[in-house]
Amino acid sequence: RDVSLEVEPGQSLAVVGPSGSGKTTLLNCCSGLDDIDGGRVSLDGVDLHALSDAERTSNRASSMGFIFQAYNLIPVFSAVENVELPLLLAGTDSKESRRRATETLERVNLGHRLKHRPAELSGGEQQRVTVARALAGRPRVVWADEPTGALDSETADNVMDLLRDLNAEGLTLIVVTHDEGVGTSANRT
C-alpha cells in the first residue's frame, strides 16, 4: 500500500525479500502481467493498466523481456525456436526472427546448442535460452523473477555476470530475488 517507485532507463533494480513477501506479485503488476486494484503503472508515460488486454500484450511484446525461474521453455521446440517464437508472435518476419534468435543465442554462448531441445540442455543452458528469449526482441526493460533460483552457484554467477554486462550496455533490469547476493549486484536494492 502507498508504494511509489521510479526506475530510470538503464538502471538495475533488485527487489529482495523472503518467499511469500510479494516480490513476484509486484513484478507481475508493474509489468502488466497481472491487473492492479488501484494506483498506476507507467512505462515511458504510458499507463499500462489503462490499456486494453491486447494493447498491453502488444506493449509487452515490443518493449519488455521476461526471465522466469521456471524457464517456461516449450519442450518440443529447439533452443532457437524457443527464442524466435516471441519474435514471430510480435510480427517479425521468419527470416529476421531466426537471424536474431541465432545471434542472441550466440551472445549467451549457446551458438553450438541451437538445435537442442530443453531436455537436452543443462539447467544453466536452459536459463541462458530464457535470457536469450528475453533479449531477442531488443526490449527496453527486462523483468527477471528469481533468475538464478534453480541454478548452482557457479552457473548463477555466470547468468548474473551476463545480466550485469547487458545492464552496463544500457538495458534496464528489474530483478526480484530472495538471494541477497544477487541483490547486491544491482545499482539499487
Side-chain angles (χ1 to χ4, degrees):
R1 294 184 191 278
D2 301 320
V3 171
S4 182
L5 171 66
E6 187 168 331
V7 180
E8 296 295 328
Q11 191 173 51
S12 65
L13 171 74
V15 178
V16 182
S19 295
S21 64
K23 300 179 307 292
T24 297
T25 299
L26 177 67
L27 181 143
N28 289 347
C29 289
C30 288
S31 66
L33 287 173
D34 285 351
D35 289 324
I36 59 175
D37 296 329
R40 180 185 144 122
V41 177
S42 177
L43 179 65
D44 292 331
V46 175
D47 183 349
L48 294 181
H49 295 281
L51 301 174
S52 69
D53 283 344
E55 291 169 326
R56 203 175 329 158
T57 298
S58 176
N59 184 287
R60 278 195 303 271
S62 67
S63 63
M64 300 181 200
F66 293 87
I67 302 170
F68 298 104
Q69 179 180 353
Y71 313 136
N72 294 339
L73 299 175
I74 299 171
V76 297
F77 281 11
S78 67
V80 73
E81 290 167 337
N82 266 286
V83 173
E84 74 182 340
L85 179 62
L87 297 171
L88 293 168
L89 294 173
T92 306
D93 77 70
S94 60
K95 214 173 197 177
E96 176 66 8
S97 293
R98 180 58 59 107
R99 186 192 69 71
R100 283 170 51 184
T102 300
E103 177 184 278
T104 310
L105 282 164
E106 288 170 352
R107 176 131 196 236
V108 299
N109 298 316
L110 285 177
H112 64 294
R113 307 286 272 170
L114 298 176
K115 296 186 186 300
H116 289 77
R117 292 192 169 116
E120 300 167 320
L121 301 171
S122 71
E125 289 171 329
Q126 289 180 54
Q127 187 62 304
R128 283 187 282 154
V129 171
T130 302
V131 170
R133 183 181 59 200
L135 299 174
R138 300 180 182 135
R140 295 184 38 77
V141 61
V142 168
W143 306 89
D145 189 3
E146 298 284 3
T148 61
L151 304 176
D152 63 77
S153 60
E154 182 179 343
T155 305
D157 289 344
N158 291 337
V159 167
M160 287 311 299
D161 286 344
L162 172 62
L163 293 175
R164 273 190 294 277
D165 290 346
L166 294 164
N167 175 248
E169 294 173 13
L171 179 72
T172 303
L173 178 64
I174 301 171
V175 178
V176 299
T177 183
H178 69 277
D179 184 336
E180 291 185 21
V182 170
T184 60
S185 70
N187 303 133
R188 195 169 144 208
T189 304

